[in-house]
Amino acid sequence: PELLARFDAALAVLRGAGAELVEVKKPPMEGMSAASYEVLQFEFKADVTAYLVSTRPEQVQSRTLADLIAFDEAHKDGEMPLFGQDIFAMAQAKGGLDDPAYRAAREKSLRLAGKEGIDAMLAADRLDLLVTVSYGPAWPSDTVWGDQYEGPSGSTSPAAIAGYPHLTVPMGLVRGLPVGLSFIGAAFSEQTLLNAGLAYEQAAGIRQKPDFRPTVDTGPELEGAAGGGQSPMASR
C-alpha cells in the first residue's frame, strides 16, 4: 500500500506538470520471459568463455564455463557455502549462438518485448512514453529460503529484453528504503525520457540522502495488489 501511495503521488506530480496520463492495457506477452531466459543461458556460456580467453589474468586457469563449473565443484566448501551452480550447469548444457533454438528464442523475446510489447502500447494511444513503478523496496537477504521479494515485477523487463531505453528516478521512500519511478520509451527515445525525468525530479523535489541502514523492519506484508497487478501508466 505504501508503494502504491508513492506511485499515486508521483502521477499527481506528472499531471501537475502538464502530462496527460492514459491507463495502458498490457498486451499479451506469454512466453517472453521464458524465451529471454533461454537467450541469457546461451549468451552467458558464449560470453563467459570469450571473456576468460581474452581478458583473464595469467593466474586464472579457467578458460571456459565448464572450467568454472569444475573449479567450483573442486572447491565447493569455499565457493558454494550457501548456494549451488544450477544456472551454470543449465547454461553449459546449451549449444552455441548458431543453434536454431537460440535464434528462435531471441527472435521471440525481442518481438514480444519490442514490436508487440512496448511499441504496441505506445502506438495504441499515440503515447510518448510509459510510466510505471521501477521496483519495490529492497528485501532482506534470506540464505535459507532465498530472496523473499514482494512488490511489482515484470513492468520493466520488456525494456531490458528489447534493448529500449529505460530511465528510473527517485520516487520517495517506503519503509525507509528508496523506490523509483520508471520512464520507458521506444528505441532511440533517450532524450524524451531524460527530459521527462528531469521535469519530474524538479517538480517533485523529493530526492533524499540514503542513511545506509544495516537492516530494516519489513512490517506487514504488502498486499497482493502491489505484486504486478497494476497497469503501467503512459504519458504524452
Side-chain angles (χ1 to χ4, degrees), residues 20-109:
E20 179 184 351
L21 301 181
V22 178
E23 187 167 1
V24 174
K25 183 178 180 180
K26 188 176 180 180
M29 295 181 177
E30 287 80 5
M32 180 191 70
S33 295
S36 174
Y37 193 48
E38 186 90 350
V39 168
L40 289 175
Q41 292 174 53
F42 275 99
E43 294 183 350
F44 180 72
K45 178 182 179 180
D47 292 346
V48 162
T49 296
Y51 170 76
L52 292 172
V53 169
S54 63
T55 65
R56 67 177 180 84
E58 288 300 319
Q59 63 268 31
V60 177
Q61 300 303 309
S62 299
R63 298 189 182 184
T64 66
L65 178 58
D67 291 340
L68 294 179
I69 293 173
F71 179 90
D72 288 344
E73 187 61 33
H75 305 83
K76 57 184 177 182
D77 290 342
E79 295 294 325
M80 301 184 291
L82 300 175
F83 51 84
Q85 53 181 344
D86 297 5
I87 297 176
F88 272 24
M90 291 167 62
Q92 178 58 30
K94 299 298 182 184
L97 299 186
D98 57 348
D99 191 312
Y102 165 73
R103 295 179 182 274
R106 188 170 187 274
E107 184 280 328
K108 181 178 182 179
S109 62

Side-chain angles (χ1 to χ4, degrees), residues 1 3-4 7 133 150-153 221-231:
L3 182 62
L4 296 181
F7 185 46
V133 175
E150 293 177 313
S153 61
E221 293 184 0
L222 293 178
E223 296 293 335
Q230 295 297 304
S231 299

Side-chain angles (χ1 to χ4, degrees), residues 92-150:
Q92 178 58 30
K94 299 298 182 184
L97 299 186
D98 57 348
D99 191 312
Y102 165 73
R103 295 179 182 274
R106 188 170 187 274
E107 184 280 328
K108 181 178 182 179
S109 62
L110 290 176
R111 171 171 47 81
L112 291 175
K115 181 179 179 180
E116 298 179 13
I118 294 174
D119 292 342
M121 286 188 278
L122 293 173
D125 290 291
R126 298 169 59 189
L127 306 172
D128 294 314
L129 50 88
L130 302 174
V131 182
T132 186
V133 175
S134 301
Y135 225 60
W139 56 93
S141 296
D142 188 333
T143 58
V144 177
W145 299 106
D147 292 337
Q148 302 298 302
Y149 172 69
E150 293 177 313

